Structure formats: structure tokens, C-alpha cells
Amino acid sequence: MGGFKKFLLRGNIVELAVAVIVGATFSGLVQALVADLITPLIGAVTGGREPDFAKYSFTVNGSVFKYGDFLNHLLAFLIIAAVVYWLVVMPMSRLVSLFERDQAVTTRQCPDCLSDVPVEARRCAHCTVELVPQSEQP
């Protein structure tokens, strides 16, 4: 029982639970954005009709292929993916790049083996080539 308690109280489990809850909430938010704003906007551009292909189908030997339903889901996926990319991914990428730009450099590449070594290292840990620390360079 102690091992199970330790497993449940690890930071990774709590972080994962928070991520799932935030993800589910965010999913509902994005779906509402698409259903309430983006799809009606497409309907306004296309003459007052919201795109609905659910009735499109064809039959082969008694089997009904509802390709219209697939088109609806595909269109919803593409719209949601575009909204998430432009409203979440791009702004977050810019924000992260702003924070990374201000961070001090702590590693550099070894000129021989191209591995990362600390800036003040005198010898590469991978290939043992001698290096001049950055504070002693002219």
C-alpha cells in the first residue's frame, strides 16, 4: 500500500491529471469557438448556409457509404487545427522565444566532436580535446 501511495503522490501523476483536466476544458472551449463563431462565419461567407454534408452518400450493393459525414468531421478537424495553431501554438512559440532570448548561454560546442560542453570547461568530456574557457578568450 505504501508503494501505491508513493506512486499516486509523485509529481508526474499530479501534473498529468492537471494536464488532462485543462486539456478537456480547452477542448470544449475550442469546440465552442468553432461551433459558435467560425462555422457561422463560414456560413455568412457562403451565402447564409452553414456547411453540412451529412446527407451526402452513395450505395454499392446495398452498403451505404456516408462520405458526407466524413467530410463534416474532416472540415471540423481542419478548422479546429487551424484555430489551435493560430490562437495557441504561434503565440506560445513567440512567448517562449522571448524568454529564451534573454537567457544566458551556459554551453558551447566542442570544435572537434561538436558535443555540448560547459562554457568554462577546459577539456571536452567526450573527446578530451583541450579547450580555452570563454572567460580567458581574447
Side-chain angles (χ1 to χ4, degrees), residues 1-136:
M1 193 66 175
F4 183 67
K5 181 180 176 184
K6 190 182 215 182
F7 170 74
L8 289 178
L9 295 178
R10 280 191 354 209
N12 295 346
I13 297 296
V14 173
E15 291 172 6
L16 181 61
V18 169
V20 168
I21 292 168
V22 170
T25 304
F26 183 72
S27 172
L29 178 68
V30 171
Q31 288 178 1
L33 174 71
V34 170
D36 298 337
L37 298 174
I38 304 296
T39 304
L41 181 64
I42 292 172
V45 170
T46 60
R49 297 175 313 179
E50 293 183 12
D52 184 17
F53 306 108
K55 296 178 183 169
Y56 295 165
S57 64
F58 65 91
T59 305
V60 175
N61 290 336
S63 295
V64 178
F65 294 88
K66 299 178 181 179
Y67 70 93
D69 187 49
F70 173 75
L71 288 176
N72 276 342
H73 284 86
L74 179 64
L75 184 61
F77 169 77
L78 292 175
I79 292 170
I80 289 171
V83 167
V84 167
Y85 179 74
W86 278 302
L87 296 182
V88 177
V89 174
M90 284 184 62
M92 285 303 294
S93 296
R94 287 184 185 148
L95 185 65
V96 167
S97 69
L98 287 175
F99 285 122
E100 288 177 352
R101 182 178 56 184
D102 295 336
Q103 290 180 349
V105 177
T106 59
T107 61
R108 63 180 168 153
Q109 276 192 331
C110 172
D112 274 4
C113 69
L114 302 177
S115 61
D116 288 335
V117 294
V119 172
E120 293 300 317
R122 296 186 179 276
R123 189 173 293 273
C124 176
H126 302 281
C127 68
T128 68
V129 69
E130 288 189 34
L131 303 170
V132 179
Q134 196 168 24
S135 61
E136 297 176 12

